[in-house]
Amino acid sequence: MNGNPFERWDLTPVINASGTMTFLGASRVPAEARAPVDRILGAFVDMDELQSRAGAIIARVTGAEAGCVTACSAAAMTQTVAACLTGTNLSRIESLPRSEGERRVVLPTGHIVNYGAPVDQAIRLAGADVVPVGAVNACETWHLRDALENGAAAAMYVVSHHAARENELPMDVFIRICRDYDVPVIVDMASEYDLTGPVSLGAAAAIYSGHKFLSGVTSGIVAGKSDMIRATYLQHRGIGRTMKAGKESVVGAMAALEIWEKRDHAAVRAAENARVAFWMRALSGLPGLSLDSHADWTGNPISRVRITVAPATAGIHAWELADRLAARRPRIAVRDGLVERQEIYLDPCNVTDDEAETVAEAIVEEVDRAKTAGYGRRMTWSDAKSIREASVLSWPGERDAS
């Protein structure tokens, strides 16, 4: 039997110059992490014992009192919120999403983002009511205090490149004010390097993705105070059952954390910077493209190449260029979250050196073709937005057949 899934099921290979994106499978999982996952898949284990061992590793790496593993970071958001509604009351855990008592969860308005699904939906799934704090571009101390004056079961703070950073309340200030009102703070750090900051500032729980920068299998990691973690883990007896973490997720998270502890971060950063430097050289002088090195939005130790497209000179819009790259085989995925500003980004984290060369060659080819064939500058941003729904709804099969 053919063990190559791309050949066996006719899958399109992808070169991921976009980053640790869930829709692309997040990250490359190293052999060190895959080996214990493969071993546990062929065996049986007491899940409570396994989670206990995972909790010890999470506590060691993050400095938290305890930890547990969930199906993913989105599941962790729902389960930690649920924990704030029920505590360890087993009857209440079984009753969710119906709940008695305080159900308000305060959340900065600028943090109500969509990471592939809305953040506030993950909160509402627990049976909680979301209370937006401040405005998108102005969350002040008095906005938070006013919301907390009316009572709250929990507060959530989201660290993400999607979040509005303008006039944002700093995390330490947010946590301090919430603690003044005895309201536990949940910090979503799904795609962040800082595994110790939120807990050291007093957050009740910090959430990380096990399959983003940690490069494990799909999982969520929750680190925090012992009572919070116990109540979060017990949600598997209620709504957490619909989003349970399998043995492979728990073992994968454990292995990823231990690999992270031993990782030569300086060497990894140097290799990534070398790819960025290569792209800057390979694409410099290409008419209509302006290049610069762009630091990560949330302060992770990553630099990316920002390509700003001048359509009149390049002969193509940024969103058209991203589409043309995605239509190649192998598909080339670039970070296109800001294409409406005529910007695309090349992320070095999940490409090999050979793939980095392929990406550069493809960009040169597509810009040259756009100018010679004249197929660029035909789709406006309004057109692109209008057809997005049809693209999303084309699954299954229709997109492949087109």
Side-chain angles (χ1 to χ4, degrees):
M1 185 177 292
N2 190 344
N4 185 330
F6 292 94
E7 295 176 356
R8 184 175 174 183
W9 294 300
D10 190 28
L11 298 173
T12 304
V14 176
I15 295 176
N16 179 11
S18 180
T20 54
M21 301 298 183
T22 297
F23 75 96
L24 294 174
S27 296
R28 296 182 190 271
V29 180
E32 280 184 276
R34 297 197 303 268
V37 170
D38 182 67
R39 176 67 180 84
I40 202 71
L41 282 172
F44 299 97
V45 66
D46 182 301
M47 291 299 294
D48 288 341
E49 181 182 68
L50 181 60
Q51 283 276 11
S52 176
R53 300 293 189 271
I57 295 174
I58 294 169
R60 183 180 74 233
V61 176
T62 65
E65 293 176 3
C68 68
V69 178
T70 62
C72 62
S73 53
M77 284 192 282
T78 300
Q79 289 180 234
T80 51
V81 168
C84 295
L85 301 184
T86 67
T88 57
N89 186 309
L90 297 178
S91 181
R92 289 187 177 183
I93 288 171
E94 292 178 354
S95 297
L96 291 181
R98 297 191 304 272
S99 64
E100 298 179 357
E102 182 60 71
R103 300 191 306 176
R104 289 160 46 93
V105 176
V106 300
L107 174 67
T109 300
H111 292 189
I112 305 178
V113 299
N114 190 305
Y115 53 87
V119 163
D120 58 321
Q121 184 179 55
I123 297 171
R124 289 185 282 108
L125 279 171
D129 298 324
V130 178
V131 179
V133 177
V136 171
N137 64 337
C139 186
E140 302 290 356
T141 54
W142 57 86
H143 295 143
L144 179 57
R145 291 186 186 279
D146 184 60
L148 295 172
E149 286 286 351
N150 296 319
M156 184 170 286
Y157 190 94
V158 178
V159 180
S160 169
H161 68 280
H162 296 298
R165 309 304 301 275
E166 185 179 355
N167 210 4
E168 179 185 51
L169 265 184
M171 185 194 302
D172 60 332
V173 175
F174 186 89
I175 293 175
R176 174 173 54 79
I177 292 175
C178 289
R179 294 184 72 184
D180 289 343
Y181 289 83
D182 293 323
V183 173
V185 176
I186 302 162
V187 180
D188 174 30
M189 298 277 286
S191 193
E192 302 303 310
Y193 271 60
D194 181 5
L195 300 184
T196 61
V199 167
S200 68
L201 291 173
I207 296 168
Y208 299 91
S209 171
H211 53 281
K212 295 291 180 69
F213 290 124
L214 287 173
S215 299
V217 299
T218 302
S219 60
I221 295 167
V222 187
K225 300 184 182 302
S226 294
D227 56 350
M228 180 68 163
I229 298 302
R230 182 177 294 109
T232 298
Y233 179 59
L234 286 173
Q235 298 304 319
H236 74 278
R237 294 178 172 271
I239 60 171
R241 180 72 176 182
T242 65
M243 51 190 81
K244 60 179 175 284
K247 57 190 176 183
E248 67 280 4
S249 294
V250 182
V251 167
M254 295 164 72
L257 285 167
E258 290 188 336
I259 293 169
W260 185 263
E261 284 185 295
K262 298 181 295 182
R263 186 186 194 194
D264 187 340
H265 292 276
V268 171
R269 181 76 191 276
E272 292 171 353
N273 285 344
R275 294 181 197 118
V276 168
F278 165 75
W279 279 328
M280 295 287 285
R281 292 193 305 271
L283 298 173
S284 64
L286 197 61
L289 302 189
S290 299
L291 311 174
D292 66 291
S293 179
H294 181 270
D296 183 70
W297 290 271
T298 60
N300 285 321
I302 305 165
S303 293
R304 302 178 179 91
V305 175
R306 175 168 53 193
I307 301 175
T308 304
V309 180
T313 305
I316 193 170
H317 290 295
W319 49 88
E320 292 174 316
L321 177 56
D323 285 350
R324 299 295 299 189
L325 293 170
R328 296 173 71 99
R329 191 176 181 93
R331 174 184 177 187
I332 296 176
V334 297
R335 186 175 289 241
D336 60 356
L338 294 173
V339 286
E340 75 278 9
R341 292 175 12 181
Q342 299 289 358
E343 295 176 1
I344 60 175
Y345 294 77
L346 303 182
D347 188 299
C349 296
N350 280 305
V351 294
T352 65
D353 291 342
D354 287 343
E355 288 174 338
E357 291 185 16
T358 300
V359 171
E361 291 168 359
I363 291 173
V364 172
E365 287 178 8
E366 293 300 341
V367 171
D368 285 344
R369 287 176 183 170
K371 287 189 292 187
T372 57
Y375 62 63
R377 298 178 63 191
R378 294 184 178 181
M379 181 189 295
T380 68
W381 179 236
S382 295
D383 295 332
K385 289 289 281 186
S386 297
I387 66 174
R388 181 169 293 183
E389 181 179 8
S391 176
V392 171
L393 295 176
S394 67
W395 187 92
E398 296 172 33
R399 188 180 308 171
D400 297 334
S402 61

